[in-house]
Amino acid sequence: MPIVGVKMLTGRTPEQKRALVREITDALVRTIDTTADQVNVLIEEYEPDHWAFGGEFFSDRRARTTSTHGGGK
């Protein structure tokens, strides 16, 4: 029974997460000779101020990027 863990920042829609789970499941079924009902996908979501990269929280990076580029995501 394959188990796949996905860690990502919050912000994806339920539709995006459903598509991700479908694609991961389909890929495993195609490549490792398993069935869809055996595939487990665990999604762990983190707030941008709970995940840091290069010594900086993602929330701080977003704020800096937004202010330098005049708004938006």
Side-chain angles (χ1 to χ4, degrees):
M1 162 181 355
I3 301 170
V4 176
V6 177
K7 297 181 182 198
M8 62 186 183
L9 294 175
T10 59
R12 274 54 174 219
T13 66
E15 293 79 22
Q16 288 173 313
K17 291 185 267 188
R18 281 186 193 97
L20 175 63
V21 168
R22 276 192 307 270
E23 292 292 331
I24 290 169
T25 300
D26 291 348
L28 289 173
V29 168
R30 278 192 317 272
T31 57
I32 66 167
D33 191 32
T34 190
T35 59
D37 62 329
Q38 291 295 309
V39 176
N40 291 267
V41 180
L42 306 172
I43 297 175
E44 295 180 58
E45 293 184 286
Y46 297 90
E47 294 296 326
D49 60 347
H50 292 174
W51 191 326
F53 177 76
E56 183 178 29
F57 284 113
F58 276 98
S59 55
D60 295 337
R61 284 176 182 259
R62 285 182 177 172
R64 184 172 32 83
T65 302
T66 300
S67 66
T68 4
H69 295 294
K73 269 192 164 185

